[in-house]
Structures are given as structure tokens and as C-alpha cells.
Amino acid sequence: MIFGKTKLELKVGVFALLGLIILVIFVLSIGNFKTWTSGYRVSFIYNFADGIKLGAPVRFAGIDAGEVKDIKFIFDPQESRTMVQVICWVRRELRIPVDSAVWVNTLGLLGEKYIEIMPGRDYTHCLVAEQSLEGIDPIPMHEIVRLAKDITENLDESIVRIKNKEGTIGRLLYDDTIYKELEALIIDVRKHPWKLFRKTKEKPEKK
């Protein structure tokens, strides 16, 4: 009787242990933990990080290869300014050449921010653990708006100049003199087509 009770408790314990293992695996999968694969940490330095957040993906040549683990502010004494250090975890087998281009990209127009790494060609010099690489700063939205405004103002100014018969395009559209000269040239060539093949004789220089 005691032996049967011990056997039953053993079965319950085994099932409970299996359930706990499955629960841990499920939690780790949902949390996207990098428990089953090893890797190393590198960091990228920006003047403007464009809203990158913790847990954002890191892509290498368009493929997910890690994630953002930490974001810090650092002061550069040489530049005398505060910069952003984005610390990332990447897979162990990933080799990042030091001449790679790294920037903050967006999935679509309003999608998730992530770190994009376009690999360079100098694979003889690659980043090692805890090493940093300067990233390419994204263009702030206010600069894009200002650029669009400048383009619009220049376009409006060009249209006004064309309407005022100024510039080459304005003269072509509104000045009849050019059309008359072109028409006279066409008529002359039709009457005297041999002029197209005549070479101008150079006069000998007087000594």
C-alpha cells in the first residue's frame, strides 16, 4: 500500500516537472529571449537615433540577426556633445566589417524602427564584442518638411519666371521670335539643302 502511494506521487511529480518545463519554454518563446543561441554585444553611436526603442530588431543584410538591448547617452569630449549609444545583441556567427553602413530604418512609413546593417567589404577587420561603430544619422522629419517647403518655393518661383517670359523655358513658350527664326531656318534649308554639307573655308592667315 505504501509502495503504491509512493509510485503515484512519483508519477504526479514527473508530470508536474514536465508541465513546468513546457511553461518555461513557452514563456521564453513569448518573451523572445535569446537563451538557446549565444551571441555578443556591439554598440552603434548616433547623434540622432530617431526613436529607436529597447527590443527593436537588428537586421544584417535584410535578415533578423539580433535586437537592441540598451540605449544610453554618452558625452564625446572630442566633439563636445552628447551622443546616443545603442547597445545591440547579435548572433555569435555574425561578422560585421568595420566599413559597414548602419542606420535606423523603418518598416513602412509609420512602422517599427529597427537597426539596419548593410555589410561592408573589409572582412579582415570586423567588430568584436563590446566594440562600437559610428552609425549614419537618419534625417529628422522637420528637415524633410523644410526641404519640401524649399522645393515648393523654388518651383513657384520658376513658374512665375516662366509666366514672365524669363529664362530659356519662358522664351520658348512665350517668345515668338525664336519660333520665327527656327521657321526661317527650316525654310532656308529646304530651299538650299546643300548648305548642310558645305564646309566653311578657313581664310589663310596673313603673315
Side-chain angles (χ1 to χ4, degrees):
M1 187 71 179
I2 297 176
F3 177 76
K5 185 177 180 180
T6 303
K7 189 174 182 180
L8 179 61
E9 291 176 348
L10 179 62
K11 291 181 178 180
V12 172
V14 170
F15 279 112
L17 180 61
L18 290 176
L20 181 61
I21 293 174
I22 294 174
L23 179 62
V24 170
I25 294 175
F26 178 76
V27 170
L28 292 178
S29 300
I30 293 297
N32 197 24
F33 285 90
K34 306 297 181 181
T35 305
W36 313 116
T37 57
S38 60
Y40 60 98
R41 292 194 176 200
V42 293
S43 59
F44 306 111
I45 310 299
Y46 296 94
N47 294 308
F48 175 66
D50 199 19
I52 195 74
K53 296 181 179 180
L54 294 178
V58 175
R59 290 187 175 185
F60 184 85
I63 303 298
D64 288 344
E67 67 178 27
V68 175
K69 287 295 187 181
D70 197 7
I71 301 174
K72 296 180 178 179
F73 292 106
I74 59 173
F75 182 77
D76 188 349
Q78 295 181 350
E79 299 290 338
S80 297
R81 59 183 174 182
T82 301
M83 307 179 77
V84 180
Q85 181 182 26
V86 182
I87 302 172
C88 302
W89 176 95
V90 294
R91 297 178 184 176
R92 180 185 60 184
E93 67 272 15
L94 189 64
R95 298 181 63 192
I96 305 175
V98 294
D99 61 342
S100 298
V102 186
W103 67 93
V104 178
N105 208 346
T106 306
L107 291 173
L109 294 176
L110 300 174
E112 179 185 13
K113 306 285 186 181
Y114 67 95
I115 299 294
E116 182 73 68
I117 304 174
M118 183 59 65
R121 297 184 178 181
D122 187 11
Y123 277 92
T124 57
H125 300 88
C126 295
L127 293 181
V128 297
E130 307 302 330
Q131 193 172 3
S132 299
L133 181 66
E134 185 174 352
I136 301 173
D137 294 333
I139 301 176
M141 182 58 65
H142 72 275
E143 290 190 7
I144 297 177
V145 173
R146 184 177 62 182
L147 179 61
K149 183 180 179 181
D150 292 341
I151 293 175
T152 303
E153 290 177 353
N154 292 333
L155 182 61
D156 291 341
E157 183 180 350
S158 300
I159 293 175
V160 171
R161 292 190 60 192
I162 291 174
K163 289 182 178 180
N164 292 334
K165 303 179 183 180
E166 299 177 0
T168 304
I169 298 178
R171 292 182 61 195
L172 286 174
L173 292 178
Y174 295 101
D175 193 350
D176 294 337
T177 304
I178 297 178
Y179 291 101
K180 291 179 180 179
E181 292 177 354
L182 183 60
E183 184 179 3
L185 177 63
I186 294 174
I187 294 173
D188 185 57
V189 170
R190 286 180 178 176
K191 289 182 178 180
H192 309 94
W194 51 269
K195 289 184 177 182
L196 294 174
F197 305 98
R198 186 180 64 179
K199 294 183 179 179
T200 304
K201 295 182 179 181
E202 297 182 356
K203 295 181 179 180
E205 296 182 358
K206 295 181 180 180
K207 295 182 180 180

